[in-house]
Amino acid sequence: MHMRRYRSRGGALIALWALTWQAVPAATPVMPPPAAPGTVSAPASSIVSQVKALRAKDPAGALRLGEPYWHAGKPGGEHVELGLQLMAAAAAAKQPQTVLAIGTPLQQAALSPAQRLRLYNFLTYYMFAAHDPTRIKALEPGVAALDRQLPGKAMDIATLWQQIAASYTLLDDSSDALRTARIAIARSPRHPAMVDYMANQYIAMADIRLGRMPAAITAMLAADRAGKALKLPDDPNLLENFSGLFMYTGNWRKAIEYGERALAAAKSPVQRQAILTNIGGAWEELHDDARAQASYEHALRILRAHKLSSPSLLNNMADLLQKQHKPAQALPLLREAAVAFEHDGQTSSAATVWSNIGAALASLGRRAAAARAFARSLALFNTADDVQRRLELYPRMIDNLAALGQYRQALALMRTFKQLDDAHVTVESRTRVAHLESVIELERKNAELAQAQREHAQQQIALGRAKSLEQRQLLTTEAMLAALLLLAGVAALSIRQGRVRKRLNQALALKNAEIETQHRDLVRLNDTISQQNEEDALTGLRNRRFGQAWLERLASAHLQARRQGNPLMPALVMLLDIDHFKQVNDRHGHEAGDHALMHVAEILRDCSRQSDILVRWGGEEFLWVCPGTPISEAEHLFARVRERLRQTPLVLRGERLHLTLSMGFSLFPLWPGTTGDWAFCLRMADTALYRSKTAGRDRWTGLIAGGSALAMEDEHDAREASVDELEARGCLTTLAGSA
């Protein structure tokens, strides 16, 4: 049984770089050379010189010595130089707030370009500590001005832009980080350089936060190339996150390659354990369980030796043991992981692990203990409100209840599961949204069309009047030409008016053509809306909304025909469900699950008749209705589908996957001589499907009329009765087989 895996930091993609102020470049800002002798005179004799001499070996002492003079001093060259020396001391003492407190007022002082470069070197490096992106942005015009003032310092200025990008990155301002990191690379006078190495990392982080994974990989590769060209030692943080990014995109071999490089460079036990966990996960995805186990065991040895906590690792190792059919060895790891997740407040993860504990206990035959573990998992999921993972729990609970013989509870839980699953189907939700948007657009188009038609009617009236006037004026003109040549000028005017009216007629004709085009567009839009309203977006089959409406029409047709004394033949109603569909999602991903649904839908189309109705009823469940079809055809139709599934397996990344279906069926109307209730008929088919599942799957079950036929007045009573009661009264008979 496949279990949910966890990456070392809570997801497939490792958390973004844990940047701290020490990590923005490697150490303190790069200091330009000291000012030439004679250009600075110290206040109070030699305070500047003393601070400068002291800050290398005792930066805190340099601050204690110089700050009183700084606060008491007046603006000027000596005061500026003292401030710059104190900022260097504060940087060496790792006091970013002191750097900002001294440097912020210095921005207003009269500084030379070289002094401003030194000032900005500290401010751009530490401004993130103010936690205010607007203060970082305020530095940009001054840095840009230095481009013109210090043309020989292009690399230093590129480094300033790089440090601005780092500050934006630390404050999660991705768009500004991206922008300024690109400026840094563009300003750099040579490549590769440290600016390329650092700025490309900030670009990658920004792209990750913006969800642009291919762009992030491109930037990280550029950073890696720059690091190799500069012969820098491997950075385990960069390489670990590189590995995590490749895991996120499913490139498992690249994830392992960079993970092993990160492992070789990493010194911290916490980091080495996390890297090994991710490498093991990548090997599992490549189905190399031996290497996955070796990575996990190595990580566990580090975990135990250094008394660390990593519930993700414990769960992953337990997952692998479960796959190897070693649930007894998996259980203690799972229990330890559950305690750790709950202690950390990760309720949803703890609920998933309790579900895995239940599965392990069930595989050991400890069904009662498994039921308690599943109940704990469900309680946690309800607290976490994680619907998707809760849906994955229900099939395990249902199977366990059936194994305990608690069929009523299992059936009730299955109905809850189906209701929750149907409510969670995102495709139908998107279809409804698209439908509502289309209706709104249709109403707008209809309003525009009505307005255009009103304008067209008014123009037609005006055109008629114009044509009538044109005819009258033409007759008048001819008479006047015959009688009075002196009025030729008036005739010419009339002719010009006629030309104007002709252009008006042409414009009206174009408007008519536009209205006709709009009308055709509206017809096509209505067709599109109808299709969206009735068709499942993934499989192309009819959707549940259409299926319910069609069954209601079928019930009306049967009722009308019975009233006319000419009853119709019953319809065969079948519900089919893909077996072990959750395992397809767990092992191959939800995209593979989508392919499985489309594959089954295509086979059902091939096996159905033109008069049949095929509906994606919900999740992995399909409704197949065959009007006028006897009950004996159910077995033949199931055998046909089953054979096609055997002959045509689903191919996923080169792996052939043989799918099977379980089926439940009934007739509509169920009993001869009754009006029929399609909802009741579906309840019978659903109960029959549940029995196929609990009997081992890949089989069919039918619930049909028994020997004791119901009279009309008993039909309502039958709808309220349970299946067990109806079978006991002889009103229902069960058919079953495995084709």
Side-chain angles (χ1 to χ4, degrees):
M1 181 175 297
H2 193 71
M3 301 155 70
R4 177 176 294 272
R5 280 195 302 278
Y6 290 89
R7 304 304 174 208
S8 63
R9 298 187 187 171
L13 175 60
I14 302 176
L16 298 174
W17 281 255
L19 287 174
T20 61
W21 69 270
Q22 297 99 326
V24 184
T28 55
V30 178
M31 287 295 297
T39 59
V40 176
S41 59
S45 304
S46 59
I47 294 302
V48 172
S49 299
Q50 292 178 49
V51 168
K52 184 177 178 181
L54 186 60
R55 66 177 170 82
K57 57 183 179 181
D58 184 8
L63 286 171
R64 288 193 299 271
L65 173 65
E67 279 191 287
Y69 290 92
W70 162 257
H71 293 301
K74 297 179 180 179
E78 298 170 342
H79 190 72
V80 166
E81 186 60 31
L82 176 59
L84 292 172
Q85 292 296 335
L86 289 173
M87 290 175 73
K94 295 183 173 56
Q95 297 181 23
Q97 296 298 340
T98 304
V99 172
L100 297 182
I102 296 171
T104 300
L106 265 182
Q107 293 181 80
Q108 309 305 320
L111 295 129
S112 69
Q115 287 176 325
R116 195 163 293 275
L117 175 62
R118 292 167 64 192
L119 173 67
Y120 285 157
N121 193 48
F122 289 112
L123 289 180
T124 58
Y125 188 75
Y126 290 106
M127 190 57 83
F128 79 92
H131 302 288
D132 184 357
T134 59
R135 291 183 63 179
I136 302 171
K137 198 175 290 290
L139 296 173
E140 293 188 26
V143 174
L146 289 178
D147 272 336
R148 301 184 298 275
Q149 297 166 357
L150 296 170
K153 296 288 186 179
M155 183 55 75
D156 292 331
I157 294 167
T159 301
L160 295 183
W161 285 109
Q162 169 210 308
Q163 292 176 178
I164 289 174
S167 288
Y168 282 133
T169 301
L170 287 163
L171 297 183
D172 292 339
D173 187 343
S174 298
S175 58
D176 282 325
L178 200 62
R179 175 180 57 82
T180 50
R182 287 171 175 165
I183 292 174
I185 294 171
R187 293 287 191 274
S188 178
R190 65 178 182 273
H191 303 280
M194 278 299 296
V195 168
D196 300 290
Y197 180 67
M198 300 302 300
N200 274 302
Q201 292 186 53
Y202 306 145
I203 290 171
M205 284 182 267
D207 282 327
I208 289 170
R209 287 168 175 155
L210 294 170
R212 302 197 293 241
M213 299 305 169
I217 289 175
T218 300
M220 289 182 72
L221 286 170
D224 193 38
R225 285 194 300 272
K228 288 178 179 176
L230 295 169
K231 297 182 179 180
L232 299 175
D234 276 346
D235 180 350
N237 294 318
L238 171 64
L239 295 171
E240 182 188 1
N241 284 281
F242 221 147
S243 174
L245 185 56
F246 278 121
M247 291 189 75
Y248 185 87
T249 56
N251 192 336
W252 310 117
R253 295 202 178 277
K254 280 289 185 184
I256 292 168
E257 175 190 337
Y258 280 89
E260 289 177 343
R261 283 181 58 191
L263 185 64
K267 304 301 181 187
S268 161
V270 174
Q271 189 171 37
R272 289 178 61 80
Q273 175 270 129
I275 294 167
L276 283 163
T277 300
N278 285 321
I279 292 174
W283 280 123
E284 264 201 273
E285 295 292 349
L286 291 172
H287 307 294
D288 192 332
D289 289 351
R291 290 183 178 179
Q293 184 167 347
S295 295
Y296 289 150
E297 288 175 347
H298 188 178
L300 273 171
R301 287 195 296 272
I302 295 173
L303 189 83
R304 302 305 188 198
H306 295 275
K307 298 180 180 180
L308 304 175
S309 173
S310 177
S312 303
L313 168 61
L314 298 170
N315 187 74
N316 290 4
M317 185 65 194
D319 175 13
L320 192 60
L321 291 170
Q322 279 282 74
K323 285 169 62 179
Q324 296 170 353
H325 307 292
K326 299 175 181 177
Q329 296 179 36
L331 268 174
L333 296 174
L334 288 170
R335 289 196 170 102
E336 186 179 349
V339 170
F341 275 133
E342 290 194 61
H343 179 267
D344 293 343
Q346 299 183 49
T347 307
S348 182
S349 298
T352 301
V353 176
W354 275 108
S355 175
N356 295 338
I357 291 171
L361 290 167
S363 62
L364 290 170
R366 297 165 60 183
R367 295 288 180 177
R372 291 192 293 272
F374 288 141
R376 175 64 178 161
S377 175
L378 184 59
L380 288 169
F381 274 135
N382 289 334
T383 302
D385 194 25
D386 190 334
V387 177
Q388 183 58 50
R389 291 193 190 178
R390 180 151 46 111
L391 283 171
E392 297 170 4
L393 167 67
Y394 280 112
R396 288 177 168 180
M397 295 185 71
I398 291 166
D399 288 344
N400 194 60
L401 287 169
L404 289 168
Q406 299 175 12
Y407 297 109
R408 291 183 182 276
Q409 295 92 322
L411 182 57
L413 193 61
M414 177 170 275
R415 287 171 180 159
T416 302
F417 168 56
K418 290 295 183 185
Q419 290 172 356
L420 184 63
D421 186 47
D422 289 345
H424 196 61
V425 174
T426 56
V427 171
E428 185 172 358
S429 299
R430 288 196 297 269
T431 302
R432 288 177 179 173
V433 171
H435 169 62
L436 289 174
E437 291 174 345
S438 299
V439 168
I440 292 169
E441 177 66 13
L442 178 60
E443 289 176 351
R444 187 182 68 80
K445 287 283 188 182
N446 281 333
E448 291 178 355
L449 179 58
Q451 179 63 27
Q453 288 172 338
R454 286 193 295 272
E455 293 175 359
H456 176 61
Q458 293 171 357
Q459 290 168 350
Q460 290 289 354
I461 293 170
L463 179 61
R465 291 173 180 170
K467 286 183 176 180
S468 176
L469 178 60
E470 183 181 22
Q471 290 295 328
R472 289 198 302 272
Q473 288 185 344
L474 182 59
L475 291 173
T476 302
T477 301
E478 290 173 351
M480 290 175 69
L481 284 172
L484 299 168
L485 292 176
L486 293 175
L487 297 177
V490 177
L493 178 61
S494 298
I495 292 170
R496 283 198 300 273
Q497 289 176 338
R499 289 173 180 168
V500 171
R501 293 187 189 94
K502 184 177 181 180
R503 287 196 296 272
L504 176 61
N505 292 339
Q506 291 172 344
L508 287 171
L510 288 174
K511 190 66 176 179
N512 283 335
E514 182 183 344
I515 291 171
E516 287 297 325
T517 301
Q518 288 179 342
H519 180 70
R520 287 194 296 271
D521 288 344
L522 285 172
V523 170
R524 284 195 293 270
L525 180 61
N526 277 323
D527 291 341
T528 301
I529 291 171
S530 297
Q531 184 178 5
Q532 290 177 344
N533 199 35
E534 297 178 350
E535 186 176 288
D536 176 64
L538 178 64
T539 63
L541 301 180
R542 299 294 192 177
N543 62 18
R544 186 170 185 140
R545 184 184 297 105
F546 174 88
Q548 290 174 337
W550 190 88
L551 288 169
E552 288 172 359
R553 291 195 297 272
L554 178 66
S556 298
H558 273 269
L559 179 60
Q560 185 67 22
R562 187 172 180 277
R563 287 173 177 171
Q564 294 173 355
N566 188 24
L568 301 174
M569 285 186 63
L572 178 61
V573 179
M574 299 174 284
L575 283 174
L576 301 99
D577 190 275
I578 302 176
D579 295 330
H580 303 295
F581 182 72
K582 179 182 175 297
Q583 293 183 13
V584 176
N585 280 331
D586 283 351
R587 295 189 62 183
H588 303 282
H590 288 283
E591 184 179 354
D594 289 346
H595 284 296
L597 291 168
M598 292 187 285
H599 181 68
V600 170
E602 189 60 34
I603 286 177
L604 291 176
R605 276 195 204 92
D606 291 344
C607 294
S608 63
R609 302 166 301 183
Q610 190 171 2
S611 59
D612 295 349
I613 298 297
L614 285 172
V615 175
R616 183 182 176 194
W617 196 243
E620 67 270 24
E621 192 171 80
F622 299 88
L623 172 67
W624 185 359
V625 183
C626 304
T629 302
I631 202 77
S632 58
E633 283 297 303
E635 179 180 357
H636 301 307
L637 292 172
F638 182 77
R640 185 189 307 170
V641 172
R642 190 186 196 195
E643 185 61 27
R644 282 297 308 280
L645 285 170
R646 286 176 176 171
Q647 294 174 355
T648 316
L650 175 64
V651 179
L652 294 172
R653 301 185 186 93
E655 179 181 349
R656 295 162 67 87
L657 183 62
H658 290 274
L659 300 173
T660 62
L661 297 174
S662 297
M663 184 176 81
F665 64 85
S666 189
L667 281 180
F668 177 82
L670 181 56
W671 291 289
T674 59
T675 58
D677 179 344
W678 66 265
F680 178 76
C681 172
L682 278 177
R683 181 158 72 91
M684 296 301 101
D686 188 54
T687 302
L689 172 62
Y690 171 71
R691 291 183 177 182
S692 293
K693 289 285 189 182
T694 56
R697 298 181 174 84
D698 192 22
R699 62 188 62 239
W700 56 267
T701 305
L703 283 171
I704 62 172
S708 175
L710 290 178
M712 264 307 276
E713 57 269 19
D714 295 327
E715 187 176 6
H716 176 74
D717 176 58
R719 294 171 190 164
E720 300 299 320
S722 69
V723 174
D724 294 340
E725 291 171 1
L726 293 172
E727 285 182 310
R729 289 160 54 184
C731 301
L732 284 178
T733 295
T734 301
L735 303 176
S738 58

